[in-house]
Amino acid sequence: QLQLVESGGGLVQPGGSLRLSCAAPGFTLDHYAIGWFRQAPGKDREGVSCISSSGDSTIYADSVKGRFTMTRVSAKNTVYLQINSLKPEDTAVYYCAAEYLGCEHLMDNYYAYDNWGQGTQVTVSS
């Protein structure tokens, strides 16, 4: 079963940057749209962004547009989320998810996704 592994989180000051990684040891991600989601303490999980299987298209939540950028490197079988201009409200556990049916399906149905990994903690604080 495809299992995704998130990494790259940490403690950063407001205005700082991080690059999160999403990998799938033993599986190829080439045919999957990959989405990033986050869950802050006491809040529901929310969709942040998604990149198509080809890497040609991305979508972002309004709250992160202009600050978050998704890319994928097929040779490394890894998808990245570059996070700039971090704000305290970005503090959350970040998760990635894979969907063969594409970004629209993933972002509309992530609440039913049942293969979440451990996530990576992002904490923005001075």
Side-chain angles (χ1 to χ4, degrees):
Q1 185 177 10
L2 178 65
Q3 189 64 49
L4 300 176
V5 179
E6 304 91 345
S7 62
L11 172 63
V12 296
Q13 294 185 342
S17 298
L18 284 173
R19 188 177 75 163
L20 308 186
S21 299
C22 174
F27 290 89
T28 179
L29 295 178
D30 287 353
H31 303 297
Y32 294 89
I34 304 295
W36 280 99
F37 302 83
R38 66 185 182 186
Q39 188 165 19
K43 295 187 177 181
D44 292 334
R45 192 167 299 183
E46 63 173 349
V48 173
S49 60
C50 189
I51 189 167
S52 63
S53 58
S54 66
D56 289 344
S57 65
T58 51
I59 56 176
Y60 299 95
D62 288 342
S63 59
V64 306
K65 282 181 181 177
R67 300 189 298 120
F68 288 22
T69 303
M70 279 194 76
T71 56
R72 62 191 306 158
V73 179
S74 180
K76 294 186 176 182
N77 199 39
T78 301
V79 175
Y80 300 100
L81 181 66
Q82 178 68 39
I83 310 176
N84 299 326
S85 303
L86 277 158
K87 304 176 181 180
E89 51 264 43
D90 294 320
T91 295
V93 179
Y94 284 70
Y95 304 87
C96 58
E99 176 54 64
Y100 189 77
L101 295 178
C103 279
E104 185 174 346
H105 184 88
L106 178 59
M107 301 307 275
D108 287 346
N109 296 283
Y110 70 89
Y111 53 88
Y113 192 80
D114 62 356
N115 197 29
W116 299 106
Q118 292 188 331
T120 186
Q121 175 72 49
V122 172
T123 302
V124 185
S125 175
S126 55

